[in-house]
Amino acid sequence: MIAELVAALPVSPSTLVLVVPTLAVPVLAVISGYRTSAGLNVLASGLTLAAALMLLAMPHARGDFLIVDDFNIFLVVLTAFVGFTTSIYSASYIGHELETGKLTPAFLRFYHAMYQAMMGAMNLALLSNNIGLMWVGLEVATLATVMMVGIYRTAEAIEAAWKYFILGSVGIGLAFFGTILIYMVSSSVIGSGVPAMAWDEIVRNAALLDPKLLSLAFVFLLVGYGTKVGLAPFHAWLPDAHAEGPTPISAVLSGLLLNVALYALLRFKMVLAGNPATIDVGAILTTLGLVSLVFAGFMLYRRRDIKRLFAYSSIEHMGIATFAFGIGGPLANFAGLLHMTMHSLVKSAIFFAVGHVAQAKGTQRLADIGGLSSTHPVLAVGFALGVVAIVGLPPFGVFMSEFLLVSTAFSRQPILTVVLIAGLVLALGALLMRMQQVVFGEPRGRSEPVKASYVPLFVHLLLALIAGLWLPEALVRWFRGVAALLG
């Protein structure tokens, strides 16, 4: 019944997912009133989520420029969902920033327009069946987030935006060169034009492509898109962008944009997996994943800013997911997909809580934050649960993904698994120590009321809790299907 209703729509859901945010951008750009623009931003994000949910009821589709398949359909739904909940959180959070004078209406004029541009660009990258169009999607998402990172117009925010812009542009430039190389090698087999840039055609003919050029292309793509993923040593932009930009943008950067960049890398990994003469992509991803995990684990102990703390936590968790996909195989890929999903939900929830903390205490310095359990008990519970979830303690979903990964890695790479566990323990110790400092003890800093909505925070944590206890059969089938595709 639902599938018939979706089929009767004059415009396909995949088109709606892109059209809604695209139409919202010029509308929001000319609206000066914050309340109106915030409401329209929530409405546009809700409509995008509705269109994304419709994708679940439609058959897979393939075109020259767009594709809906097992790999991207759930990631589009996840992106739209987190985008919607973040828009709700953003409405009250940014409103408080305006009231306190931290933001001015003049600098805020294009905030919601850029938010929709970012969401539409990420969905474009996910739905693209064209390697060039996917590159465009990630580039637009980068430019939109650069503008929002610098919106406070402080010296630190402008520096962070420029660093993000420069490093992101270098990365996306290298990815562009790798994309050109992929087109060159595929056009020699498939023929010139649009078909040579189509994902499904390239994967279908992967065994016939020149393995040396494919390997060279992947090196450029790895550095280019690896910068966007936040993998060490390409991570330098990430802590500054998270610390200096508005907290809702930190939630979207960690929860969504890193996923989209990793998705792009995995698409290219599928191409090289179809040609056994290419470089060992799995070994490269495994190494980068472990380096990122261990590096972030140590760096967590040196953070003095609460948003930078969880920025390095994002580096850690993208390292875990990258390690999982590097190990490969049905169970490790399943664990990697589950980890991407759980990290999106939990890390965005943590940044919601961090935004509440920063507004309540008037600072992001950890030394000036303490005693939340006495001054803000509800916030203390939400923040503590978020930290417990992200460090991988049961019964949350992150525990399940890490447990599956450790289980399969021990049987295949026992020595590397010891390093993996050491990195996990390092990060666990650092984050639990900081959580104890923030939640317990004598109250420190100001004690202002929290005005932003708690609903997105606890909805995300509830979903992560449910996933740790029970996964719907449809979701398990999706993870298994995509895990098989990734090899």
Side-chain angles (χ1 to χ4, degrees):
M1 181 63 181
I2 296 177
E4 293 174 358
L5 291 174
V6 171
L9 290 173
V11 181
S12 69
S14 57
T15 303
L16 283 174
V17 166
L18 303 178
V19 168
V20 171
T22 302
L23 293 178
V25 170
V27 174
L28 290 169
V30 299
I31 295 176
S32 57
Y34 176 74
R35 291 185 180 275
T36 303
S37 61
L40 288 176
N41 187 52
V42 173
L43 176 62
S45 300
L47 292 174
T48 303
L49 174 60
L53 291 171
M54 292 179 195
L55 289 173
L56 299 174
M58 68 176 287
H60 293 174
R62 183 265 181 208
D64 288 336
F65 296 101
L66 299 181
I67 188 170
V68 178
D69 62 6
D70 282 337
F71 194 8
N72 62 14
I73 190 168
F74 186 75
L75 286 173
V76 173
V77 175
L78 177 66
T79 299
F81 174 75
V82 175
F84 174 62
T85 55
T86 304
S87 71
I88 295 174
Y89 170 77
S90 176
S92 51
Y93 177 89
I94 298 297
H96 181 267
E97 300 287 88
L98 284 170
E99 290 177 8
T100 57
K102 193 172 182 181
L103 281 176
T104 62
F107 290 133
L108 197 64
R109 185 174 181 84
F110 295 108
Y111 172 84
H112 292 118
M114 290 301 99
Y115 186 92
Q116 288 300 317
M118 174 185 61
M119 296 305 303
M122 288 191 293
N123 286 330
L124 176 64
L126 290 172
L127 288 170
S128 175
N129 192 32
N130 182 290
I131 57 176
L133 197 59
M134 186 202 68
W135 179 87
V136 170
L138 276 166
E139 175 71 354
V140 172
T142 299
L143 293 176
T145 48
V146 163
M147 295 182 68
M148 289 188 285
V149 164
I151 201 169
Y152 286 128
R153 290 301 190 272
T154 62
E156 294 80 7
I158 293 173
E159 179 186 350
W162 273 107
K163 181 185 288 189
Y164 181 22
F165 175 72
I166 292 170
L167 294 179
S169 296
V170 170
I172 209 72
L174 293 173
F176 182 63
F177 185 67
T179 302
I180 293 173
L181 289 177
I182 292 287
Y183 173 73
M184 287 175 57
V185 70
S186 65
S187 62
S188 64
V189 174
I190 301 172
S192 60
V194 173
M197 302 183 75
W199 282 117
D200 54 349
E201 290 293 335
I202 295 173
V203 172
R204 191 177 298 118
N205 293 278
L208 305 175
L209 304 182
D210 184 345
K212 293 182 180 179
L213 273 179
L214 272 183
S215 300
L216 179 62
F218 187 79
V219 172
F220 283 99
L221 292 163
L222 178 65
V223 177
Y225 288 128
T227 302
K228 291 287 188 295
V229 178
L231 297 174
F234 318 121
H235 68 284
W237 65 272
L238 195 150
D240 287 342
H242 282 65
E244 303 303 334
T247 301
I249 304 311
S250 300
V252 174
L253 277 174
S254 271
L256 299 180
L257 188 58
L258 305 187
N259 270 3
V260 177
L262 182 56
Y263 163 85
L265 270 182
L266 294 177
R267 282 285 193 185
F268 287 109
K269 179 181 182 289
M270 291 169 63
V271 175
L272 271 70
N275 191 321
T278 56
I279 57 175
D280 189 351
V281 175
I284 296 173
L285 293 181
T286 299
T287 302
L288 277 178
L290 282 182
V291 168
S292 300
L293 168 61
V294 175
F295 167 78
F298 280 110
M299 293 299 287
L300 285 170
Y301 287 90
R302 297 178 55 85
R303 298 310 97 201
R304 300 294 178 264
D305 182 290
I306 192 169
K307 290 177 70 176
R308 286 181 185 272
L309 178 75
F310 290 106
Y312 277 97
S313 173
S314 294
I315 297 172
E316 171 215 348
H317 283 279
M318 296 316 291
I320 294 170
T322 302
F323 176 83
F325 294 122
I327 291 291
L331 191 56
N333 287 334
F334 187 103
L337 293 165
L338 180 60
H339 199 79
M340 287 174 67
T341 306
M342 292 301 103
H343 178 254
S344 291
L345 292 173
V346 176
K347 186 53 65 64
S348 53
I350 286 178
F351 274 109
F352 297 158
V354 166
H356 293 317
V357 171
Q359 287 189 342
K361 295 296 183 179
T363 181
Q364 294 176 191
R365 292 185 68 247
L366 283 164
D368 297 329
I369 301 172
L372 276 184
S373 58
S374 299
T375 60
H376 300 81
V378 176
L379 176 56
V381 170
F383 180 78
L385 288 176
V387 174
V388 167
I390 205 64
V391 299
L393 293 179
F396 290 94
V398 176
F399 165 77
M400 184 57 66
S401 63
E402 291 180 354
F403 177 79
L404 291 174
L405 176 58
V406 170
S407 298
T408 186
F410 252 130
S411 64
R412 302 176 59 188
Q413 298 285 353
I415 296 178
L416 295 182
T417 308
V418 173
V419 181
L420 171 69
I421 294 174
L424 293 174
V425 172
L426 268 175
L428 181 145
L431 290 176
L432 288 184
M433 179 181 70
R434 294 303 188 190
M435 185 266 284
Q436 185 273 339
Q437 173 186 337
V438 169
V439 173
F440 302 108
E442 291 296 322
R444 294 188 302 278
R446 290 174 7 196
S447 183
E448 302 294 331
V450 173
K451 295 187 177 181
S453 174
Y454 281 125
V455 173
L457 165 63
F458 286 103
V459 166
H460 282 213
L461 292 176
L462 178 61
L463 290 175
L465 175 62
I466 293 172
L469 300 173
W470 169 76
L471 284 175
E473 181 59 31
L475 190 59
V476 172
R477 286 199 303 270
W478 179 81
F479 282 142
R480 285 175 176 168
V482 179
L485 288 175
L486 291 174

